[in-house]
Amino acid sequence: MKQKKWNGIGSKLFFIGVIFCILLVGLFCIQGQRKSREHTYEDAKYTIEHSAGGAMRMDGPYLEIPVVHTWYVERTVDNKTVRDKNVELVYETVRASSLLMQGELESQMRSVGIYSAPIYTGTLNLDATFDIDFENADGYEYQLDKAMLYINADKKNLTKHPVFDVNGFSQSADLKESHEYGSIGDCIGVPCVIKKGKNTFSTSVNFRGADKFIVVPAAKETSVTVTADWPSPGFAGFDYLPDTHAITANGFTASWNIPFANTSSKIGFRYVRPVDLYKQLNRACTYGFLFILVPFLVLFLSELFAHIHLHPMHYLLSGAACIIFFLLLLSFSEHISFFASYLLAASAASLLVSSYLASVTKRIRSGIIMSGVFVLLYAYLYFSLKSEDYAFLIGSLFAFIILAAVMFFTRKVDWNAFHVSKIQSAEEQNGTDLTDPRNVVSSGNLKIPTQPEI
């Protein structure tokens, strides 16, 4: 007998559950579309960054000094000792004793189709000193007049030929071959004459890049100061955090001081977009099930307490409108600001479902209630999307509050006797006592209420 009592609400919940699962599949498809669009964006972003030269990486300056190494090998020929002279040209790479770098970067947005990504242009001023204390001895002759001073930087990043000033003599730098650590590679350098003792070097490098700005602390003591107009730098992921930094809405300034040379280390920053579009859309889709569940709960509670009878198709269409919100948000946000896109998509979805519910139930009040629910729901999601650090906490609390609200409003509902409330509702509407045997026609095990005489 209890099974029969539960059949009415049980079948309703079953169909609602099936519709909920169908809509989750639709949400999953929209998530797939979001991933596809994100991949397209990443391809466009890579194209922009690659064309700008990629990450700017400054390594150096270095002094490369040719060294003539002469040694003799004795051998015996016909009982006579013969000394063979051997000469080898090697290179001594010298790091700067101190290096001061000051960089100023200006950001620009570049586009490919509807997609955009930041690049930067800037100037990096270098001032370095080299202390040379080599002595010609033990077969080593240091050719200080044939030295080369160079920096390692990708030529794609440079926008002008830098001018190197070495001990007061200036000349334009060009592509050279360095022999650093025994391997030959391209560098930007000039031949120069150096002296024993202190040697000075200065230059100004004009460059362009994207995504990252990297400096290798090659000097025995390296000091770097960078000023940029990008308001959200990312310092994590590098070997040294800045000693000091100041970030404002108009940009930032950061300073590093590295007391020991380490050419395997990197300092710098990344161009971070605080909560980029596709991360926000992904987070929105993550909580998308709530945008199906909450309206369904409101509709179901309306059936419980407002004596509204809704068909499963009403649930399906209302849920589909909630899913369309995410598709509208995705398509709008690629053309206009995220806030405007969110406002348009949320307004369209909430007005559609609210007006549809008011029309179906013939009750404007139902539509107003549903509008209020959507205002709270979309406001919650928006603040969750904008909160990078507390999104998960906000989502968990919201889910708990929804569950607590449903439990509170349904605490007095007798689910086993749910059919009794339907019978009482029918009595109120027809004025018939369905518990009176005279008003019921028996047909086997089926009892059909008779219509009252007029």
Side-chain angles (χ1 to χ4, degrees), residues 107-345:
S107 307
Q108 304 173 13
M109 296 300 295
R110 296 295 178 90
S111 300
V112 171
I114 63 173
Y115 302 104
S116 62
I119 68 167
Y120 57 81
T121 57
T123 303
L124 188 62
N125 298 314
L126 285 75
D127 292 283
T129 59
F130 293 85
D131 292 325
I132 305 300
D133 57 359
F134 298 120
E135 295 286 348
N136 294 332
D138 298 328
Y140 289 91
E141 179 187 355
Y142 295 88
Q143 299 181 330
L144 302 182
D145 58 339
K146 297 180 181 179
M148 182 177 72
L149 199 150
Y150 68 92
I151 59 174
N152 287 319
D154 195 327
K155 58 186 179 183
K156 285 188 64 177
N157 292 113
L158 303 185
T159 57
K160 291 182 180 180
H161 282 261
V163 175
F164 285 7
D165 185 296
V166 183
N167 291 329
F169 296 94
S170 300
Q171 55 184 313
S172 179
D174 208 342
L175 288 176
K176 302 292 182 181
E177 286 187 350
S178 70
H179 301 78
E180 184 180 4
Y181 309 120
S183 62
I184 299 177
D186 287 341
C187 64
I188 310 297
V190 295
C192 60
V193 176
I194 59 173
K195 59 187 178 180
K196 289 186 62 177
K198 182 178 179 181
N199 293 264
T200 61
F201 162 77
S202 64
T203 188
S204 182
V205 179
N206 295 280
F207 60 88
R208 176 179 57 230
D211 187 37
K212 297 178 182 178
F213 177 82
I214 303 169
V215 171
V216 176
K220 295 179 181 178
E221 183 168 355
T222 305
S223 297
V224 181
T225 300
V226 176
T227 301
D229 59 358
W230 190 255
S232 54
F235 300 112
F238 295 88
D239 295 292
Y240 297 91
L241 291 174
D243 298 314
T244 60
H245 69 278
I247 302 175
T248 68
N250 297 320
F252 75 93
T253 299
S255 297
W256 294 260
N257 187 65
I258 313 299
F260 300 101
N262 189 346
T263 56
S264 63
S265 298
K266 299 175 182 177
I267 60 177
F269 69 95
R270 292 181 297 110
Y271 269 65
V272 178
R273 305 182 80 167
V275 181
D276 73 35
L277 171 61
Y278 294 99
K279 286 183 180 178
Q280 293 183 86
L281 293 172
N282 179 52
R283 193 178 298 167
C285 291
T286 300
Y287 295 108
F289 73 97
L290 290 175
F291 286 73
I292 308 171
L293 182 61
V294 173
F296 275 20
L297 288 174
V298 174
L299 293 176
F300 184 72
L301 292 176
S302 297
E303 288 201 72
L304 276 181
F305 300 112
H307 304 300
I308 297 171
H309 178 69
L310 296 174
H311 191 273
M313 184 58 75
H314 296 141
Y315 284 87
L316 177 62
L317 293 176
S318 298
C322 296
I323 293 298
I324 290 295
F325 159 75
F326 297 98
L327 193 60
L328 290 174
L329 180 60
L330 172 60
S331 57
F332 285 158
S333 57
E334 290 185 334
H335 299 277
I336 57 178
S337 70
F338 184 81
F339 176 76
S341 303
Y342 192 92
L343 188 61
L344 284 174

Side-chain angles (χ1 to χ4, degrees), residues 339-407:
F339 176 76
S341 303
Y342 192 92
L343 188 61
L344 284 174
S347 299
S350 58
L351 287 174
L352 179 60
V353 176
S354 301
S355 59
Y356 177 70
L357 181 61
S359 177
V360 167
T361 61
K362 302 297 189 292
R363 300 182 183 183
I364 297 178
R365 184 169 175 267
S366 298
I368 294 175
I369 292 174
M370 184 60 78
S371 296
V373 169
F374 275 116
V375 168
L376 294 176
L377 194 59
Y378 288 122
Y380 145 73
L381 180 61
Y382 185 79
F383 287 112
S384 176
L385 297 181
K386 290 299 180 182
S387 176
E388 294 184 87
D389 299 324
Y390 300 101
F392 182 71
L393 176 61
I394 294 173
S396 301
L397 290 175
F398 185 77
F400 176 80
I401 291 171
I402 293 298
L403 177 60
V406 173
M407 293 173 69

